[in-house]
Amino acid sequence: MNNTNPSITISTAPLEHPAMDYAWLRSEGIRLLERMSNQAWTDFNAHDPGITILEQLCYAITDLGYRINYDIKDLLAGEDQPYRSLFSPARVLTTNPVTLLDLRKLVIDIEGVKNAWIESVARVEPGMVFDPSEQALYLENGVAQPP
């Protein structure tokens, strides 16, 4: 009998990379903990907070290991992305990498500054536009300002 539909099974072959093998990462992490703690740490059960942190780390590494194998065009796809469980590019590739708190920390690190408050402004008055081709700064009304 010729079967044209191959059976769908989970492969028992070793994974391509250890980063994709959660069980191996966990056992290797416990092995390293045993070696580094020099017998001082003996509770390697799931209820131990250190093991919980190790398991979270193993999960994150495994997740990244799988995502690395996705085709980049699929990862950056729009609304019809095949990997719906991932955040959209618009959510991940943000245009606001620096927060107001980040700026405040930079200002406070300056010698002589004891405290600072940074607040966002909804609209700069007067509105300004920078033209990189002419290296000129323009007011919204079109008047050029020296760079």
Side-chain angles (χ1 to χ4, degrees), residues 99-105 107 116-120:
T99 66
L100 293 176
L101 182 59
D102 295 332
L103 293 174
R104 181 173 184 254
K105 289 176 182 178
V107 171
W117 295 105
I118 308 292
E119 297 179 359
S120 63

Side-chain angles (χ1 to χ4, degrees), residues 20 59 61-72 75 83 85-87 92:
M20 300 169 85
Y59 176 82
I61 291 170
T62 304
D63 184 55
L64 287 172
Y66 279 104
R67 290 180 191 220
I68 286 171
N69 286 325
Y70 292 156
D71 193 4
I72 192 69
L75 289 173
Y83 307 108
S85 63
L86 300 176
F87 289 113
V92 175

Side-chain angles (χ1 to χ4, degrees), residues 25-40:
L25 288 170
R26 186 181 185 281
S27 65
E28 185 67 12
I30 289 175
R31 187 184 70 75
L32 290 170
L33 286 172
E34 287 173 328
R35 196 174 90 208
M36 292 188 327
S37 68
N38 198 20
Q39 306 302 325

Side-chain angles (χ1 to χ4, degrees), residues 36-136:
M36 292 188 327
S37 68
N38 198 20
Q39 306 302 325
W41 188 350
T42 58
D43 187 2
F44 297 103
N45 295 310
H47 67 268
D48 184 83
I51 298 301
T52 302
I53 292 170
L54 173 67
E55 289 174 345
Q56 292 296 312
L57 180 62
C58 293
Y59 176 82
I61 291 170
T62 304
D63 184 55
L64 287 172
Y66 279 104
R67 290 180 191 220
I68 286 171
N69 286 325
Y70 292 156
D71 193 4
I72 192 69
K73 66 182 176 193
D74 293 334
L75 289 173
L76 298 177
E79 295 297 318
D80 298 327
Q81 73 178 26
Y83 307 108
R84 296 190 193 289
S85 63
L86 300 176
F87 289 113
S88 69
R91 186 110 186 258
V92 175
L93 305 173
T94 176
T95 59
N96 300 319
V98 179
T99 66
L100 293 176
L101 182 59
D102 295 332
L103 293 174
R104 181 173 184 254
K105 289 176 182 178
L106 284 172
V107 171
I108 289 175
D109 287 342
I110 296 172
E111 187 177 327
V113 176
K114 298 205 185 281
N115 200 356
W117 295 105
I118 308 292
E119 297 179 359
S120 63
V121 177
R123 181 167 163 76
V124 177
E125 292 293 336
M128 296 185 168
V129 180
F130 179 71
D131 183 357
S133 63
E134 296 181 19
Q135 293 290 309

Side-chain angles (χ1 to χ4, degrees), residues 22 73 137 147:
Y22 174 86
K73 66 182 176 193
L137 187 62

